[in-house]
Amino acid sequence: PSARAGIVYATEHSDEASETQLPMLAQSAFSAYAVGCAGSPTCRQRLEVTVFHAGFAPGAVDATLMPATFQGLRVSTREVDFAAAVTDKRKVWGYNGRDAFIHKLSHAANYFRFYVPKLMWDEHRAETFLYLDTDTLFLKRGSLPGLFAQRAEPPLIVRAGTQSTKNCVVGHIVPPQNFPEKHLDAKGVCLAASVMLVNVTTWLSQNTTGEIERLLEANAKKKLWNLGSMPPLVVALAGGKWATLSGIADGKGSSCEKRGGFDWAALVHPFKAICEPPPTPTVCTPLTRHGMSPLGSTRIGAMQSNAFVKLTGAKVVNTGCDVAFGAGPTKPVKGAPVKFLFKGNNQESYHEAWKESILVADNGFVDDYFRAKGQPSIRLQLVEDVRPEEMKQAHVPRPDFFGANQTRKPLLCYHGNHMHVHSVLSFVKHIPTPFDLRLIVPSGYGSPASVIKAADASLGSRKCGAGSQ
């Protein structure tokens, strides 16, 4: 667990102002990978980004992070009901008669950071993680390992960035007289809860979340501080439980043009301008669509390569691309660091020229065959190969439930060459519920009798029939 360099974000779409959250998230996460790790393979292999989110359109978070993922950043995303995850015994009070910010500071996502340590321990056995708001940006190359090296050793629970005393001192947000037992320094610096390196085991052993919940409930009954989620953290960590995380710049008023003023800093917060988004992936020669082709491999290659372009938001170029696609049988793919090759016919042969490419196998036989040759191969476990409408042979699935409580016996259809019938039979024979299986194979590649024989051998006493076209 100690080898993992985990960064955690929590973001929520709640109003029009939230539209900037995802671009900032992508910029921040990619800056950790590209700038914070610089060119260090070890740092990049250790880095894992976890994003908890709510309120965004389905798939929007993953799509926004796809360019960074494409470059090699490991990302996991999870939709969370923040309101259900955090205590509802909380209240944000006005500050000096101003209440315009109350709605923003009341969002449940702001308080979710207090619950992340237990999640990271339960699911990853993470001993430490770096919590970041989306409006953060790494500026100094190779600085990420140095941040994690500042581990918060006991009695410290957290190392955090600090705010400029021009913008915040403890007495402005938490009147010390409200917590005399904490001995708060009214002129002390404010920590920045937006950048925190958390010692998970110490956080949990001291029940820090429980302490913060107790403070929040007390503040909900009677005003004890100004603002929202940061003051209870200040109180809970008082008495030497937090220290400064060095290398964090207070970026209020920053912009793309003013980044040079923070060249000493590992990262800056807040930084809301979009200056360094992840680069858009580029793809050479996605395969043209061959919907009329009698060869499934050709159709699948076209569908998969064009789906790759769509899912990654890639830009199609002629040269100098990140990824290139090609189809066999013998012509290798050229012109890109990553090369995918789809088998272009049904001949099971091997060519040394394919060694520099990753072969995409649409069935287990081909995958095993090429792996045995030492050929890099990807097995497509689930392939939707539905022919287009102009073929007049489209298979239209019925929207019925398939399972133990199904209302009728389902019809399973196989439409393809003889060579894959055995793979189909080896799969469907394990389906326990009754079903009808229709095998449609082209004429000229074998007799229907041979298909029936194979089906009888696999399915036993079940009745079988076959047709050809």
Side-chain angles (χ1 to χ4, degrees), residues 91-93 101 105-106 111 216 219 225-232:
K91 181 178 178 64
V92 177
W93 302 86
F101 52 81
L105 297 180
S106 297
Y111 299 83
L216 287 170
N219 181 68
W225 59 69
N226 300 306
L227 304 178
S229 62
M230 192 256 285

Side-chain angles (χ1 to χ4, degrees), residues 87 89-92 110-111 113-114 173-174 179 182 184 191 193 203 208-209 211-219 224-238:
T87 178
K89 297 176 181 179
R90 63 184 197 275
K91 181 178 178 64
V92 177
N110 295 325
Y111 299 83
R113 71 193 77 197
F114 305 142
I173 59 170
V174 183
F179 301 94
K182 295 293 185 177
L184 296 173
L191 62 79
W203 179 289
T208 308
T209 301
E211 170 69 2
I212 291 173
E213 286 185 331
R214 183 188 67 79
L215 292 168
L216 287 170
E217 183 175 2
N219 181 68
L224 298 175
W225 59 69
N226 300 306
L227 304 178
S229 62
M230 192 256 285
L233 187 64
V234 170
V235 177
L237 298 180

Side-chain angles (χ1 to χ4, degrees), residues 358-370:
I358 300 172
L359 187 102
V360 182
D362 50 35
N363 65 80
F365 175 82
V366 172
D367 186 48
D368 293 341
Y369 176 83
F370 285 103

Side-chain angles (χ1 to χ4, degrees), residues 100-295:
F101 52 81
I102 290 180
H103 175 70
K104 175 183 176 182
L105 297 180
S106 297
H107 292 166
N110 295 325
Y111 299 83
F112 187 71
R113 71 193 77 197
F114 305 142
Y115 299 83
V116 171
K118 187 175 188 305
L119 286 172
M120 298 303 289
W121 177 255
D122 289 346
E123 299 182 9
H124 303 284
R125 284 299 185 262
E127 297 174 355
T128 186
F129 67 89
L130 181 63
Y131 181 91
L132 296 178
D133 278 0
T134 58
D135 56 343
T136 50
L137 182 70
F138 281 82
L139 295 176
K140 190 174 183 179
R141 291 185 60 79
S143 59
L144 184 60
L147 289 182
F148 276 94
Q150 300 178 56
R151 181 179 169 85
E153 299 291 351
L156 297 180
I157 299 175
V158 164
R159 285 190 180 272
T162 57
Q163 302 182 49
S164 169
T165 53
K166 295 180 181 178
N167 300 318
C168 179
V169 293
V170 170
H172 288 168
I173 59 170
V174 183
Q177 63 270 22
N178 289 346
F179 301 94
E181 74 283 5
K182 295 293 185 177
H183 305 290
L184 296 173
D185 180 2
K187 296 182 179 180
V189 298
C190 297
L191 62 79
S194 50
V195 183
M196 298 193 301
L197 185 65
V198 180
N199 184 320
V200 174
T201 52
T202 309
W203 179 289
L204 296 177
S205 67
Q206 297 197 23
N207 191 24
T208 308
T209 301
E211 170 69 2
I212 291 173
E213 286 185 331
R214 183 188 67 79
L215 292 168
L216 287 170
E217 183 175 2
N219 181 68
K221 297 176 180 178
K222 176 184 177 182
K223 183 177 179 180
L224 298 175
W225 59 69
N226 300 306
L227 304 178
S229 62
M230 192 256 285
L233 187 64
V234 170
V235 177
L237 298 180
K241 295 182 180 180
W242 79 279
T244 300
L245 182 64
S246 63
I248 313 303
D250 187 338
K252 291 183 176 66
S254 57
S255 65
C256 297
E257 294 73 21
K258 296 179 180 179
R259 282 178 295 169
F262 303 108
D263 55 2
W264 58 271
L267 65 84
V268 59
H269 170 271
F271 194 90
K272 300 185 181 297
I274 304 300
C275 311
E276 300 289 343
T280 300
T282 56
V283 171
C284 287
T285 61
L287 304 176
T288 55
R289 305 190 71 84
H290 296 292
M292 298 295 289
S293 171
L295 299 177

Side-chain angles (χ1 to χ4, degrees), residues 24 58 69 83 113 137 141 181 215 228 271 280 336 363 372 375 387 393 395 416-417 432 434 440 452 468:
M24 289 193 299
T69 304
R113 71 193 77 197
L137 182 70
R141 291 185 60 79
E181 74 283 5
L215 292 168
F271 194 90
T280 300
N363 65 80
Q375 168 67 46
R387 296 193 179 202
Q393 295 172 329
H395 300 297
N417 288 334
I440 305 174
I452 295 175
S468 62

